[in-house]
C-alpha cells in the first residue's frame, strides 16, 4: 500500500510516530540541505501541520537522510530488529496483524535455530584435513571473522556489537566465500543469539523509527511500499522474492541446476519445485545470479548476453533498449521488474482482474491457500482482488505462483493459442473481455440483457450493477486517470461504500458513483445525494479534499439535473454513459490526446460533445 493511502487509513495519533521520525531527520538535514529547508519553510516550519500529500512529498525529498538514519538505528536495535525487518519487508506482509507477524517471527526463528545447531555440529565434527574450499570450512572462516567483529569491543571495555564498517567488511567476505543469506543468519545466531521473545517491543521500536504504522483498533501493522523498497536496499536485496520466483519459473531445469551447482548445492534427484524453493531461500543477489550462475561455468560472454536477451523476451519485459553489455542487461531486467507494479495493475481493468482471479479459483480451488502460503498471508484472511491489490500483488504475480504446467493447463482449457507466453495469453484474454463490455457500455448502463447477449456477453441481471461500476473504472483508466483502489478500500466501511475514487493529487480526489437504470431516466436524487455526502465526509475525515462528485448514469431526469445544480452542500457533475463512451472514443482516435480530470469538475450535466471535441 502506498504511503499516501496508509496516511488516509490511520488516525493522527497513529501517524505521529512517523511524523516525529520524519521531523527529527528533517531538523538534522536542513542544516546543510537548502532545498529541504525551503520545503519545510513552506509548511510554516511545522511538519505536524502538513497535509498527507505534503508529508509524502517531504518523505520523497528527505528519503536519502531517512534511509541513512533508519539503517544506523536498526543496527543499534540488534539482530532481532534485523530479522523482523526482513519479515515485514517480504511480499504479502505489508498489511498484517501484530499477532501474525509474531507467528512468522517464531517460525523464522525456529528455522534459524535449527540450521545454526546443524552448522555447530558440523564445526565440532570438522576434520583438520577438510578441503580448504569446502562449504563447512568456508562457513568456519566466516564464523571466526564474525565472532571477532562482535566480541572485539569487549577488549576495550565496550558493549559487544558489530559496527556498520565491520558489517560492510563481513558482507564482502560472505560474498567472496559464497555464504548465502540463510547461512549468514544462522552463523550470526551462533555468535549473538537472536532473542525468541520481545517481538512486540521490537515492533514498537520500529514504529518509533517511522518504519511501520500500527492501527490500534484492530492491531494492524502497515508498511508502505516506499518503505519496503528502502528496507530492501538496506538489506542488500536487489529484487523482491516474487520477482526472483518469476525469473526462476522462466528458466529451464538445467539452468536451475547451474545456479545450485555454482553454490555447491545438491542437484541430483531434486525436483524442479524444490530447486526453486532452495534458490529463493539462499537469498542470492539477482544481478550475480543472472550474470554468473545462469549459464554453465565455461560459457562465453556472448552466450551469456544472448541468454539474457532471450530472458527479456520470455519475461515479456517492455524495454526501450536491451543494453549492449552483460551488466547492462542484468541491470535492466532488475530495474524493470522493480518498477513493474503500476504497469501490471494497469494491464487489466478492475473487472478483468476480478474475472481472472475468479476463473483461476475455478481451475484451482486451492488457489487462495497457494497464495497465502507463497505470500505468508494469514490463513483466516479473506482473499479478494481488493486485498491483493492492497498487498501490491499484481495479476502477473498470481500467474507466476502457478507452475508452468499449471498455467499451460489453464491456457488449454480456455482454448487459447499455444504460441507465445501462456501467462501473457491469459492476461490478454481477460483484457479483451473488458474491451467487449466497454464497446457495449450504453447497453450495460441501461441493463439491456438482450442487447448484451446478442453480442455474446454472458451476464446475469444481478451482476450488471457491479460490472457497470468496474467497466466505468476501466474507461477512466484508459483515459489516463488514476483510479485509486487502495484509497477507496481504506475509506470504505460496511455502511458507506464509494464506487470510484479518482486521485487528482496526493490530497485532491473526485468521488464517482456509477448508476444503472432499466427504464427511463435516473431520478433518485435524494437517495443519491445522501450517499455521496456521506462519502464526502469519509474522504475529508481521511485528510482528502473532494474536488467534485461525479455521477455516471444512462440519462438523468430534468428534476435530477435541476436538484444537482442547486445543491449548495456539494459540487456535483452529471455524466451520461453514452457521453463517457463518446469521450473515450475521441481520446483513442487522437494521435496526441490531451485529457484532464478537471473537465469533469464543471458541475451540472456535462456537455460531452464539447469535451470530446476539445480532447
Amino acid at each position: 500500500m502506498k504511503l499516501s493511502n496508509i496516511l488516509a487509513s490511520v488516525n493522527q495519533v497513529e501517524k505521529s510516530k512517523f511524523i516525529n521520525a520524519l521531523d527529527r531527520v528533517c531538523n538534522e538535514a536542513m542544516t546543510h540541505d537548502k532545498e529541504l529547508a525551503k520545503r519545510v519553510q513552506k509548511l510554516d516550519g511545522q511538519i505536524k501541520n502538513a497535509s498527507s500529500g505534503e508529508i509524502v512529498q517531504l518523505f520523497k525529498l528527505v528519503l536519502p537522510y531517512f534511509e541513512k538514519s533508519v539503517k544506523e538505528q536498526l543496527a543499534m536495535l540488534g539482530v532481532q530488529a534485523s530479522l523482523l525487518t526482513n519479515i515485514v519487508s517480504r511480499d504479502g506482509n505489508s498489511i498484517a496483524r501484530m499477532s501474525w507477524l509474531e507467528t512468522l517471527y517464531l517460525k523464522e526463528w525456529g528455522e534459524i535455530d535449527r540450521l545454526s545447531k546443524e552448522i555447530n555440529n558440523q564445526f565440532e565434527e570438522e576434520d583438520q584435513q577438510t578441503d580448504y574450499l569446502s562449504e563447512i570450512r568456508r562457513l568456519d572462516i566466516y564464523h571466526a571473522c564474525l565472532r571477532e567483529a562482535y566480541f572485539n569491543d569487549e577488549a576495550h571495555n565496550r558493549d559487544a556489537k558489530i559496527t556498520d564498517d565491520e558489517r560492510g567488511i563481513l558482507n564482502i567476505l560472505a560474498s567472496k566465500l559464497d555464504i548465502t543469506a540463510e547461512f549468514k543468519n544462522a552463523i550470526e545466531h551462533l555468535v549473538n543469539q537472536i532473542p525468541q521473545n520481545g517481538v512486540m517491543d521490537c515492533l514498537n521500536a520500529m514504529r518509533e523509527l517511522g518504519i511501520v504504522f500500527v492501527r490500534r483498533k484492530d492491531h494492524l501493522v502497515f508498511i508502505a511500499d516506499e518503505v519496503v523498497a528502502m528496507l530492501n536496499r538496506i538489506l542488500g536485496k536487489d529484487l523482491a522474492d516474487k520477482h526472483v520466483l518469476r525469473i526462476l519459473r522462466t528458466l529451464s531445469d538445467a539452468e536451475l541446476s547451474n545456479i545450485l551447482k555454482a553454490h555447491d548445492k545438491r542437484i541430483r534427484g531434486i525436483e524442479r519445485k524444490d530447486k526453486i524453493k532452495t534458490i529463493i531461500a539462499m537469498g542470492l543477489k539477482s544481478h550475480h545470479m543472472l550474470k554468473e550462475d545462469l549459464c554453465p561455468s565455461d560459457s562465453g560472454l556472448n552466450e551469456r548476453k544472448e541468454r539474457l536477451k532471450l530472458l527479456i523476451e520470455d519475461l515479456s519485459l517492455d524495454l526501450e533498449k536491451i543494453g549492449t553489455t552483460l551488466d547492462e542487461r542484468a541491470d535492466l531486467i532488475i530495474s524493470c521488474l522493480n518498477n513493474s507494479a503500476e504497469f501490471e495493475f494497469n494491464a487489466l481493468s478492475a473487472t478483468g482482474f476480478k474475472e481472472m482471479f475468479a476463473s483461476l479459483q475455478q481451475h484451482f480451488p486451492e488457489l487462495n491457500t497457494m497464495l497465502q502460503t507463497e505470500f505468508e498471508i494469514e490463513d483466516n484472511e479473506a482473499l479478494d482482488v481488493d486485498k491483493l491489490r492492497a498487498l501490491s500483488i499484481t495479476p502477473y504475480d498470481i500467474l507466476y505462483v502457478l507452475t508452468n504446467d499449471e498455467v499451460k493447463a489453464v491456457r488449454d482449457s480456455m482454448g487459447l493459442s499455444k504460441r507465445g507466453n501462456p501467462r501473457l495469453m491469459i492476461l490478454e484474454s481477460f483484457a479483451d473481455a473488458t474491451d467487449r463490455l466497454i464497446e457495449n457500455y450504453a447497453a450495460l448502463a441501461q441493463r439491456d440483457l438482450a442487447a448484451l447477449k446478442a453480442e455474446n456477453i454472458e451476464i446475469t441481471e444481478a451482476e450488471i450493477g457491479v460490472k457497470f461500476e468496474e467497466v466505468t473504472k476501466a474507461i477512466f483508466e484508459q483515459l489516463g486517470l488514476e483510479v485509486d483502489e487502495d484509497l477507496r478500500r481504506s475509506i470504505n466501511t460496511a455502511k458507506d461504500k464509494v464506487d470510484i475514487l479518482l486521485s487528482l493529487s496526493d490530497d485532491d480526489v473526485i468521488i464517482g458513483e456509477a448508476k444503472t437504470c432499466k427504464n427511463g431516466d435516473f431520478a433518485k436524487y435524494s437517495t443519491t445525494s445522501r450517499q455521496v455526502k456521506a462519502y464526502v465526509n469519509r474522504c475529508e475525515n481521511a485528510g482528502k479534499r473532494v474536488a467534485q462528485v461525479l455521477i455516471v448514469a444512462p440519462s438523468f431526469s430534468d428534476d435530477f439535473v435541476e436538484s444537482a445544480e442547486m445543491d449548495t452542500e456539494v459540487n456535483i457533475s452529471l455524466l451520461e454513459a453514452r457521453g463517457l463512451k463518446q469521450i473515450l472514443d475521441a481520446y483513442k482516435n487522437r494521435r496526441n490526446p490531451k485529457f484532464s480530470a478537471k473537465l469533469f469538475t464543471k458541475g451540472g450535466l456535462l456537455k460531452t460533445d464539447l469535451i470530446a471535441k476539445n480532447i
Side-chain angles (χ1 to χ4, degrees):
M1 186 180 282
K2 294 177 183 175
L3 177 58
S4 59
N5 293 330
I6 292 177
L7 293 171
S9 302
V10 298
N11 62 35
Q12 192 60 37
V13 173
E14 292 156 351
K15 292 177 192 176
S16 62
K17 300 297 183 183
F18 176 77
I19 292 173
N20 289 343
L22 199 59
D23 196 13
R24 286 195 301 270
V25 174
C26 281
N27 287 333
E28 183 180 337
M30 279 192 303
T31 56
H32 52 271
D33 191 323
K34 294 180 180 178
E35 184 182 0
L36 182 62
K38 289 178 183 177
R39 180 61 176 153
V40 175
Q41 286 170 2
K42 290 181 181 178
L43 304 177
D44 297 325
Q46 294 293 324
I47 296 176
K48 65 182 180 181
N49 295 333
S51 66
S52 295
E54 289 171 326
I55 290 172
V56 172
Q57 291 302 315
L58 189 59
F59 174 77
K60 290 177 181 176
L61 188 61
V62 79
L63 181 56
Y65 302 105
F66 191 83
E67 185 171 329
K68 181 175 180 290
S69 173
V70 166
K71 184 177 181 180
E72 291 171 351
Q73 293 181 74
L74 278 176
M76 292 173 64
L77 288 177
V79 287
Q80 186 174 42
S82 179
L83 177 55
L84 195 53
T85 299
N86 189 34
I87 291 169
V88 299
S89 62
R90 280 191 206 144
D91 311 327
N93 291 341
S94 56
I95 305 173
R97 290 190 305 132
M98 295 179 79
S99 58
W100 178 243
L101 290 177
E102 186 172 31
T103 300
L104 292 177
Y105 178 91
L106 292 173
K107 177 184 175 184
E108 187 89 357
W109 187 94
E111 286 296 311
I112 291 173
D113 190 59
R114 179 194 59 78
L115 184 57
S116 68
K117 287 175 180 175
E118 284 183 10
I119 293 171
N120 195 46
N121 289 337
Q122 290 181 45
F123 284 161
E124 292 174 355
E125 296 169 2
E126 184 184 357
D127 190 332
Q128 291 300 317
Q129 302 302 315
T130 302
D131 180 8
Y132 184 77
L133 295 177
S134 69
E135 182 177 69
I136 189 60
R137 182 59 63 88
R138 287 183 280 112
L139 292 175
D140 197 7
I141 293 169
Y142 181 75
H143 173 252
C145 293
L146 192 145
R147 183 178 176 82
E148 175 62 22
Y150 182 71
F151 287 111
N152 61 8
D153 293 300
E154 292 183 347
H156 303 284
N157 201 25
R158 294 195 298 259
D159 290 337
K161 66 176 183 178
I162 297 176
T163 65
D164 268 354
D165 289 341
E166 289 169 336
R167 179 70 65 187
I169 294 169
L170 286 169
N171 287 340
I172 293 172
L173 179 66
S175 176
K176 295 297 183 183
L177 292 175
D178 196 17
I179 311 295
T180 57
E182 56 181 345
F183 285 120
K184 284 172 63 178
N185 291 335
I187 289 173
E188 185 144 0
H189 184 62
L190 273 178
V191 174
N192 179 25
Q193 189 172 55
I194 302 170
Q196 188 173 9
N197 301 314
V199 178
M200 295 305 178
D201 291 338
C202 187
L203 200 57
N204 282 321
M206 291 168 66
R207 180 171 170 250
E208 294 284 342
L209 300 183
I211 297 173
V212 300
F213 294 82
V214 179
R215 193 164 68 189
R216 292 298 180 186
K217 67 178 181 181
D218 48 13
H219 302 288
L220 267 184
V221 177
F222 298 87
I223 178 165
D225 294 343
E226 297 93 326
V227 175
V228 169
M230 177 190 78
L231 292 179
N232 281 337
R233 289 193 296 271
I234 291 174
L235 293 169
K237 291 176 67 173
D238 53 3
L239 266 185
D241 288 348
K242 66 181 183 180
H243 291 139
V244 176
L245 173 65
R246 194 176 298 189
I247 291 172
L248 298 179
R249 286 267 191 254
T250 310
L251 305 182
S252 68
D253 282 355
E255 288 168 333
L256 294 176
S257 295
N258 288 339
I259 296 169
L260 290 170
K261 281 192 293 185
H263 299 277
D264 294 327
K265 299 294 182 181
R266 197 162 68 90
I267 60 172
R268 196 174 296 276
I270 306 298
E271 292 187 12
R272 178 180 174 86
K273 65 178 182 179
D274 293 322
K275 289 179 181 179
I276 290 173
K277 185 176 178 181
T278 300
I279 293 170
I280 290 176
M282 288 161 64
L284 302 175
K285 284 288 188 73
S286 300
H287 188 280
H288 186 275
M289 182 177 72
L290 292 171
K291 184 181 172 185
E292 303 291 342
D293 301 340
L294 180 57
C295 296
S297 57
D298 58 353
S299 299
L301 180 61
N302 286 336
E303 186 180 347
R304 294 175 188 272
K305 285 167 60 178
E306 281 302 309
R307 182 61 190 95
L308 292 193
K309 179 182 177 181
L310 181 59
L311 181 61
I312 290 169
E313 295 173 5
D314 291 341
L315 290 169
S316 302
L317 300 182
D318 185 18
L319 296 174
E320 292 182 1
K321 58 179 183 177
I322 62 169
T324 55
T325 68
L326 189 61
D327 279 314
E328 284 177 353
R329 289 185 182 177
D331 286 339
L332 285 168
I333 291 171
I334 291 168
S335 176
C336 187
L337 289 173
N338 276 329
N339 296 292
S340 63
E342 185 175 353
F343 166 79
E344 291 176 8
F345 277 125
N346 291 338
L348 285 182
S349 67
T351 301
F353 194 177
K354 286 184 179 179
E355 289 183 350
M356 188 198 84
F357 188 56
S359 176
L360 292 176
Q361 286 175 314
Q362 289 180 350
H363 283 93
F364 302 100
E366 69 281 10
L367 179 64
N368 282 20
T369 302
M370 293 165 66
L371 292 173
Q372 284 164 338
T373 301
E374 181 66 36
F375 294 105
E376 296 184 326
I377 303 168
E378 194 167 2
D379 53 12
N380 63 2
E381 282 279 349
L383 273 191
D384 55 23
V385 167
D386 286 341
K387 176 68 174 178
L388 294 170
R389 187 183 286 271
L391 293 172
S392 297
I393 297 171
T394 73
Y396 284 71
D397 295 332
I398 295 171
L399 287 170
Y400 275 100
V401 166
L402 303 177
T403 67
N404 294 347
D405 289 340
E406 288 169 338
V407 168
K408 288 174 182 175
V410 174
R411 177 200 63 189
D412 294 345
S413 70
M414 292 175 66
L416 302 176
S417 171
K418 294 188 178 182
R419 298 183 64 183
N421 185 326
R423 291 180 174 88
L424 205 57
M425 302 294 287
I426 293 170
L427 286 163
E428 288 174 352
S429 73
F430 287 101
D432 291 342
T434 302
D435 289 339
R436 284 198 295 137
L437 284 170
I438 290 174
E439 285 305 312
N440 294 276
Y441 185 61
L444 190 65
Q446 294 165 344
R447 307 183 73 86
D448 190 342
L449 278 172
L452 293 170
K453 287 182 179 179
E455 296 294 331
N456 294 317
I457 296 174
E458 293 298 324
I459 190 170
T460 65
E461 179 80 22
E463 292 175 320
I464 286 181
V466 173
K467 291 291 184 187
F468 182 64
E469 174 189 322
E470 292 174 350
V471 174
T472 303
K473 292 176 186 176
I475 292 175
F476 286 146
E477 287 173 341
Q478 290 191 20
L479 288 171
L481 305 180
E482 183 182 349
V483 179
D484 201 331
E485 287 294 285
D486 289 342
L487 179 60
R488 185 181 73 89
R489 186 176 184 274
S490 68
I491 286 176
N492 279 359
T493 64
K495 181 181 177 183
D496 299 322
K497 293 188 176 181
V498 182
D499 286 348
I500 302 165
L501 269 177
L502 302 176
S503 283
L504 304 182
S505 66
D506 288 326
D507 291 318
D508 297 317
V509 298
I510 291 177
I511 292 175
E513 278 295 292
K515 303 291 186 183
T516 58
C517 184
K518 192 167 188 178
N519 297 308
D521 301 323
F522 189 68
K524 300 177 182 179
Y525 186 77
S526 59
T527 303
T528 305
S529 175
R530 284 195 299 272
Q531 283 182 319
V532 298
K533 286 171 184 175
Y535 303 156
V536 169
N537 288 335
R538 294 287 307 166
C539 287
E540 289 177 345
N541 289 339
K544 302 294 181 180
R545 291 190 292 265
V546 179
Q548 196 78 10
V549 171
L550 178 65
I551 301 173
V552 184
S555 59
F556 301 91
S557 68
D558 291 340
D559 287 345
F560 195 103
V561 174
E562 184 177 340
S563 297
E565 290 175 345
M566 297 301 293
D567 198 318
T568 57
E569 294 182 46
V570 63
N571 298 321
I572 296 178
S573 294
L574 309 178
L575 182 58
E576 292 181 343
R578 63 166 187 81
L580 179 55
K581 178 63 166 56
Q582 180 186 13
I583 292 170
L584 179 64
D585 290 340
Y587 182 86
K588 288 182 174 180
N589 290 329
R590 299 291 190 275
R591 180 175 295 178
N592 295 303
K594 294 179 181 179
F595 185 81
S596 169
K598 291 182 179 179
L599 292 169
F600 290 150
T601 63
K602 303 299 182 184
L605 184 61
L606 297 176
K607 297 178 181 178
T608 53
D609 290 339
L610 189 59
I611 294 174
K613 184 179 179 180
N614 287 282
I615 286 177

